[in-house]
Amino acid sequence: MSAPTYSACEVVFAVGSLSASSVSWIVYGHHGLIAATIVVVGLCLVGDLVEVLRWSGRSELPMDTSSLPQGPVLPVQWYIASLVIETAALLVQLICGWTILCGMLLVFLFGGCGVLLHLRYYSGRLQENARTMLPILAVLAIVLAMVLTAPAHGRGYRSFNAKNHL
């Protein structure tokens, strides 16, 4: 049995985002978690945008030769759908202040689609594929912490004490 292998980039992303969100929650409370969620989802959004731009003029990328399971070659529509959902979630949180709806969109994308994609469609066995989920689980933990620490007053757990005009 070989030792578990993790990508250094995945570990740095997960540890960095979880550490930063923990510090921001301790210092600023729920508003700090909102900011941490925006930054982490923004980084994922930039990654999806890079993939869309990569698809605009390529035939095939070279395969990675590491021992980690390889992700599937996804169509550009996957990345566009991810961009739309991530952007909608950020706009719903930032403009409307609806933390629950933002959380539902992000949990669907990262907790549903992301987990299924990593476990089912990566090139390794289930155990090996589970090792690639560290960034997804980190984003999911930050989103769930944001939703669970939201103040329970107002429709949709509005944040930043905005008045509800509906």
Side-chain angles (χ1 to χ4, degrees):
M1 181 113 191
S2 65
T5 306
Y6 295 96
S7 168
C9 292
E10 291 177 350
V11 172
V12 167
F13 176 81
V15 170
S17 61
L18 287 172
S19 300
S21 63
S22 299
V23 169
S24 65
W25 177 62
I26 291 168
V27 174
Y28 300 108
H30 175 66
H31 301 289
L33 279 175
I34 290 174
T37 302
I38 290 167
V39 169
V40 169
V41 172
L43 288 173
C44 295
L45 198 135
V46 168
D48 289 339
L49 186 61
V50 166
E51 288 296 325
V52 167
L53 294 176
R54 245 190 225 171
W55 265 102
S56 63
R58 74 168 178 174
S59 58
E60 194 68 34
L61 286 177
M63 290 300 291
D64 188 10
T65 58
S66 71
S67 62
L68 294 172
Q70 301 301 308
V73 177
L74 298 170
V76 71
Q77 292 86 356
W78 169 269
Y79 297 108
I80 291 172
S82 294
L83 277 170
V84 168
I85 293 173
E86 290 165 349
T87 304
L90 292 180
L91 290 176
V92 162
Q93 176 60 53
L94 291 173
I95 294 175
C96 302
W98 294 336
T99 304
I100 296 294
L101 183 58
C102 173
M104 287 178 7
L105 289 169
L106 293 175
V107 166
F108 167 75
L109 182 63
F110 292 104
C113 299
V115 168
L116 180 67
L117 177 72
H118 278 260
L119 290 179
R120 179 93 174 131
Y121 296 106
Y122 269 52
S123 65
R125 296 185 330 245
L126 186 64
Q127 272 183 329
E128 296 165 347
N129 291 348
R131 292 187 195 124
T132 66
M133 289 184 27
L134 200 55
I136 296 289
L137 295 177
V139 173
L140 192 58
I142 294 168
V143 169
L144 290 175
M146 178 190 71
V147 170
L148 292 175
T149 62
H153 62 282
R155 182 179 298 180
Y157 289 83
R158 294 178 62 90
S159 299
F160 296 114
N161 296 324
K163 298 288 183 191
N164 191 353
H165 299 290
L166 294 178

